[in-house]
């Protein structure tokens, strides 16, 4: 399995109706279909619909992979989204849909029901009740082992065959508060570690698109947090993706280490409570030397 001329070999190509312009993909985004498990059902909808949705790959429960959009063309899979300060993820990402019913609610002690009304036996499918800050509370179906294996094989082929790819994320990560896929049972960190084999490259990206701030005798390069009594999130990267390190109280002075503009906002890298992270500059004021 490998990428040749923007297509994955040895898998069927089911051309999507909605294929956009050429892109240079740097990111892979993983999704759940939130659909019925019937083989081909989700793929058929994603290939032909009237709402402009499309995706590059669909992975069935049995591990079958179908490609629908070439890897160098835009697909409509992420919607309103942002990744580490760069908005509009459809313009620079490859989307993979994994067949899964999505969040379910409890119908009885032994049954769970999907948003579209399908009922599953909790014990038969290993369905678990899980709550996370990103997903909220719900009942979730584990992914089939064949799916995880197929996703890993697909990702290996993509990262070997598309040299511009740099990272892997999920839909909930690039659209926080709006989407909850992949579900909390997906082994994201395991997958990222197997494919990337390194720490999150967002740190290097933040450094590349910012500049250091050096104190001078006339300017201490200190700022004070101004949030009208609230606390300001200290984030690992300059983005609103889920990456909060700490909360800085209103009125706290902090030294500025770096500065840069990401997704239309000015961000500052500061030091606070033994950690280095990023804050939105609009919620600070300059602290002049005494």
């Amino acid at each position: 399995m490998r990428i040749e001329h923007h297509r994955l070999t040895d898998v069927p190509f089911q051309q999507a109706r909605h294929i956009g312009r050429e892109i240079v993909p740097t990111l892979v985004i993983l999704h759940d279909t939130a659909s019925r498990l019937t083989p081909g059902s989700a793929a058929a909808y994603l290939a032909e619909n009237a709402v402009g949705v499309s995706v590059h790959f669909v992975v069935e429960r049995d591990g079958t992979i179908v490609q629908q959009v070439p890897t160098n063309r835009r697909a409509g899979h992420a919607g309103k989204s942002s990744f580490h300060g760069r908005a509009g993820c459809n313009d620079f990402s490859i989307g993979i849909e994994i067949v899964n019913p999505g969040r379910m609610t409890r119908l009885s002690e032994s049954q769970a029901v999907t948003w579209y009304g399908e009922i599953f036996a909790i014990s038969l499918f290993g369905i678990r009740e899980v709550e996370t800050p990103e997903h909220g509370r719900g009942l979730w179906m584990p992914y089939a082992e064949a799916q995880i294996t197929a996703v890993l094989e697909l990702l290996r082929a993509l990262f070997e065959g598309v040299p511009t790819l740099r990272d892997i994320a999920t839909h909930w990560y690039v659209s926080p508060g709006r989407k909850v896929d992949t579900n909390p049972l997906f082994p994201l960190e395991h997958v990222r570690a197997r494919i990337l084999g390194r720490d999150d490259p967002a740190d290097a990206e933040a450094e590349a698109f910012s500049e250091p701030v050096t104190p001078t005798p006339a300017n201490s390069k200190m700022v004070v947090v101004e949030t009208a009594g609230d606390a300001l999130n200290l984030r690992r990267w300059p983005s609103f993706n889920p990456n909060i390190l700490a909360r800085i109280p209103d009125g706290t002075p902090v030294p500025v280490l770096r500065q840069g503009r990401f997704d239309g906002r000015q961000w500052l890298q500061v030091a606070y409570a033994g950690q280095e992270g990023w804050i939105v500059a609009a919620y600070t004021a300059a602290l002049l030397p005494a």
Side-chain angles (χ1 to χ4, degrees):
M1 184 186 295
R2 63 187 182 278
I3 299 294
E4 291 184 356
H5 306 296
H6 314 295
R7 292 194 183 185
L8 186 65
T9 62
D10 305 319
V11 306
F13 186 85
Q14 179 186 22
Q15 183 165 312
R17 174 182 176 183
H18 305 289
I19 297 180
R21 61 175 176 78
E22 284 196 16
I23 63 170
V24 178
T26 59
L27 175 68
V28 175
I29 300 177
L30 304 175
H31 303 260
D32 288 345
T33 57
S35 67
R36 297 185 182 277
L37 306 186
T38 307
S41 173
Y45 171 78
L46 290 163
E48 180 64 41
N49 59 79
V51 295
V53 175
S54 57
V55 73
H56 295 85
F57 298 94
V58 181
V59 181
E60 300 281 358
R61 293 276 293 175
D62 65 359
T64 299
I65 300 172
V66 175
Q67 184 171 3
Q68 298 188 335
V69 176
T71 58
N72 70 330
R73 299 287 292 275
R74 186 182 189 275
H77 58 95
K80 185 178 181 181
S81 53
S82 176
F83 183 75
H84 299 162
R86 187 178 178 187
C89 292
N90 286 336
D91 293 335
F92 57 91
S93 67
I94 291 172
I96 299 175
E97 289 275 1
I98 307 169
V99 175
N100 187 279
R103 178 160 50 196
M104 295 176 280
T105 55
R106 188 177 296 277
L107 186 64
S108 67
E109 285 300 312
S110 61
Q111 294 179 315
V113 61
T114 67
W115 69 270
Y116 50 86
E118 188 170 4
I119 298 171
F120 291 100
I122 291 175
S123 60
L124 179 63
F125 286 89
I127 294 169
R128 293 168 50 193
E129 185 170 4
V130 178
E131 181 177 10
T132 75
E134 296 80 17
H135 298 84
R137 179 178 292 275
L139 295 175
W140 312 91
M141 181 181 292
Y143 300 84
E145 183 177 348
Q147 280 184 304
I148 301 302
T149 300
V151 169
L152 285 168
E153 291 176 353
L154 172 56
L155 287 170
R156 287 193 190 98
L158 288 172
F159 275 79
E160 289 174 1
V162 184
T164 54
L165 284 176
R166 298 178 60 189
D167 214 339
I168 303 165
T170 56
H171 203 183
W172 64 258
Y173 187 89
V174 301
S175 299
R178 191 175 71 85
K179 294 294 183 178
V180 295
D181 57 316
T182 54
N183 85 41
L185 303 183
F186 185 78
L188 177 61
E189 293 311 314
H190 168 74
V191 168
R192 295 186 81 254
R194 290 281 296 274
I195 300 302
L196 300 177
R198 52 183 166 82
D199 292 335
D200 200 309
D203 294 327
E205 186 171 334
E207 183 170 343
F209 291 95
S210 63
E211 59 184 13
V213 174
T214 305
T216 67
N219 191 336
S220 66
K221 298 302 179 185
M222 296 280 292
V223 295
V224 60
V225 171
E226 287 193 346
T227 53
D230 199 359
L232 182 62
N233 289 328
L234 177 72
R235 297 177 177 273
R236 182 176 175 186
W237 312 291
S239 79
F240 293 107
N241 298 124
N243 59 18
I244 296 173
L245 295 172
R247 301 262 292 166
I248 307 176
D250 184 25
T252 304
V254 289
V256 179
L257 308 176
R258 302 185 69 86
Q259 62 184 359
R261 195 165 186 83
F262 300 86
D263 197 16
R265 292 176 181 266
Q266 187 71 16
W267 290 76
L268 305 175
Q269 186 188 43
V270 302
Y272 172 73
Q275 300 186 93
E276 295 180 0
W278 294 83
I279 59 176
V280 179
Y283 297 105
T284 67
L287 184 66
L288 301 176

